[in-house]
Amino acid sequence: EPLVVARDLVKAHGRTPALRGAGLDLGAGEIVAVTGPSGSGKSTLLHCLAGIASPDEGSVTYAGERVDTLPERRLSELRRTEFGVVFQFGQLIPELTALDNVALPLMLAGTARGAAQERAADWLERFGAGEQRGLRPGELSGGQAQRVALARALVTGPRVVLADEPTGALDSLASEQVMAALVRTARETGAAVLVVTHDAQVAAYADREVRLQDGVTQDGVTAGLEVHA
Ligand code: ADP
Ligand code: ADP
């Protein structure tokens, strides 16, 4: 069974329907791109998968465990240990350098500062932000902040990576570098990676594309080709 399975998700924000029967599978080592026009429900779907929003109907399971009905305590543990969630606007801690922002999740998990910083430096390198390690978020460009946020989400070795427009502030060459790093990470660590994007060039790096239209998913389309589930 795929690592993450979402089925028949329905979710409204007040009276605005966001999801009207959305589902997807996300397998270990796989990259899936969720695409679709603005307002089609991409962010809401990601929030349901991450347990940040709870669907009105349907189910989300992670490794066979229902995520949508978990108590908040277990959810926050999952988000800390097994999930790496990257939001559209990085949410880095302004007082800390890029290096310490990335090292922090490791230190919170008990890794000593020196070892945490060493691993953090490796992940910054991987995402092309090694040279910005000593800068604080206010000194980073939008694209640099996105690279740092990705490094921070991946440094703890999550099994599931959920990223909302991780290349939204990057030009096309930089987007390709970041997607290549994500593909490499999925292959090497076996992480399941979901990327929300409106950029077809970014989606082309994924193994599969799930298209959302008015809150409904169409699975298995990539680069215009039908793909078996
Ligand atoms: P996308 O990420 O594809 O742009 P969203 O999931 O953000 O789509 O939004 C889906 C629909 O739900 C849109 O109509 C949007 O305006 C609405 N929506 C999203 N979040 C909220 C919210 N917090 N309150 C009210 N409406 C919302
Ligand atoms: P995206 O660019 O990912 O599609 P949106 O611009 O749709 O994101 O939404 C950004 C944030 O604003 C989200 O947290 C969403 O919940 C909130 N939001 C989106 N649409 C609405 C809305 N109509 N009313 C209130 N909040 C909204």
Side-chain angles (χ1 to χ4, degrees):
E1 183 181 85
L3 199 53
V4 178
V5 179
R7 288 285 175 268
D8 306 320
L9 296 178
V10 174
K11 170 82 179 170
H13 299 286
R15 298 175 66 176
T16 309
L19 299 177
R20 300 185 303 126
L24 60 77
D25 291 345
L26 190 55
E30 179 179 50
I31 300 207
V32 170
V34 173
T35 61
S38 182
S40 60
K42 302 183 298 295
S43 296
T44 303
L45 176 60
L46 183 137
H47 291 164
C48 287
L49 294 174
I52 294 161
S54 56
D56 302 327
E57 291 175 39
S59 64
V60 177
T61 62
Y62 163 67
E65 183 177 24
R66 282 286 288 265
V67 170
D68 53 301
T69 53
L70 277 183
E72 183 52 40
R73 175 180 305 202
R74 170 79 181 125
L75 268 179
S76 59
E77 181 186 314
L78 271 185
R79 283 198 292 268
R80 235 182 13 256
T81 58
E82 326 257 303
F83 290 12
V85 185
V86 190
F87 295 103
Q88 217 170 340
F89 303 101
Q91 294 171 339
L92 300 170
I93 297 172
E95 293 80 10
L96 298 182
T97 63
L99 186 70
D100 284 331
N101 263 285
V102 178
L104 186 64
L106 290 173
M107 291 170 63
L108 292 175
T111 305
R113 180 165 196 185
Q117 288 187 331
E118 221 165 282
R119 262 180 44 214
D122 287 344
W123 281 95
L124 284 172
E125 282 297 333
R126 178 178 289 223
F127 283 103
E131 286 175 19
Q132 285 77 42
R133 54 189 283 164
L135 301 184
R136 291 190 170 72
E139 302 167 308
L140 300 173
S141 71
Q144 290 166 347
Q146 282 192 319
R147 294 164 187 261
V148 174
L150 279 163
R152 184 183 57 177
L154 287 155
V155 73
T156 53
R159 296 185 66 201
V160 179
V161 177
L162 303 168
D164 200 349
E165 297 278 7
T167 63
L170 298 174
D171 65 27
S172 81
L173 180 61
S175 296
E176 287 182 26
Q177 288 168 349
V178 161
M179 288 306 292
L182 277 174
V183 170
R184 189 178 141 209
T185 301
R187 301 298 185 251
E188 285 177 9
T189 68
V193 179
L194 181 146
V195 173
V196 167
T197 184
H198 64 272
D199 183 339
Q201 191 194 356
V202 165
Y205 276 81
D207 299 310
R208 271 189 307 127
E209 181 175 348
V210 173
R211 293 181 59 79
L212 261 172
Q213 183 77 49
D214 296 329
V216 180
T217 37
Q218 299 173 295
D219 205 343
V221 190
T222 184
L225 299 170
E226 283 288 304
V227 169
H228 30 78

